[in-house]
């Protein structure tokens, strides 16, 4: 069984007990969160697709870690024009473990 949901403007395909890295969520470590914007659920041969979301379905996840990725360097440079601009960026992330994928409406 797997599901596709939306978080932080991105879509993620998850299965039960999978650990995924999301955009930073403002919840403390150790809390359980629920995602209700589920686009699709697949179970064996049956697929249920929402329009745009499946009403009544929930994905439960446990927050395991917060952190920041490696720094990326942004360099803009024009040769012979005396132009050089440097910038760095570190993206915040949250690691979550998918506990359960519930389809409250009924089994597919």
């Amino acid at each position: 069984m797997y599901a596709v949901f939306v978080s932080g403007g991105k879509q993620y395909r998850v299965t039960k007990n999978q650990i995924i890295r999301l955009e930073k969520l403002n919840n403390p470590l150790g809390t359980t969160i629920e995602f209700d914007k589920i686009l699709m659920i697949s179970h064996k041969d049956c697929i249920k697709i929402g329009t745009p979301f499946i009403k009544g379905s929930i994905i439960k996840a446990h927050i395991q870690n917060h952190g920041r990725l490696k720094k990326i360097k942004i360099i803009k440079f024009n040769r012979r024009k005396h132009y050089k601009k440097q910038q760095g960026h570190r993206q915040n992330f949250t690691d979550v473990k998918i506990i359960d994928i519930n389809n409250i409406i009924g089994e597919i």
Side-chain angles (χ1 to χ4, degrees), residues 5-104:
F5 72 98
V6 176
S7 175
K10 297 178 184 174
Q11 297 178 6
Y12 299 93
R13 180 186 185 271
V14 295
T15 58
K16 189 174 179 181
N17 295 326
Q18 180 182 357
I19 297 174
I20 59 170
R21 184 163 283 177
L22 305 173
E23 297 283 328
K24 183 166 188 308
L25 301 173
N26 290 324
N27 296 344
L29 288 175
T31 60
T32 301
I33 57 173
E34 296 180 348
F35 299 103
D36 58 350
K37 293 185 177 181
I38 301 172
L39 300 172
M40 183 183 87
I41 294 178
S42 174
H43 181 66
K44 296 182 183 173
D45 295 342
C46 299
I47 296 175
K48 189 169 190 178
I49 299 173
T51 54
F53 305 117
I54 300 173
K55 294 183 180 176
S57 295
I58 294 173
I59 295 177
K60 293 183 181 179
H62 181 76
I63 295 180
Q64 291 193 327
N65 188 22
H66 292 298
R68 296 180 80 183
L69 295 172
K70 286 176 54 175
K71 182 178 271 193
I72 60 168
K73 294 192 177 193
I74 301 133
I75 299 171
K76 297 179 181 180
F77 177 75
N78 292 339
R79 64 183 192 157
R80 296 189 302 267
K81 304 294 182 192
H82 298 290
Y83 177 76
K84 181 180 178 183
K85 183 178 180 183
Q86 290 185 337
Q87 187 177 358
H89 176 72
R90 290 185 71 189
Q91 183 66 40
N92 295 320
F93 68 84
T94 300
D95 286 336
V96 298
K97 181 175 183 181
I98 304 300
I99 298 171
D100 193 17
I101 299 172
N102 287 334
N103 186 11
I104 295 176

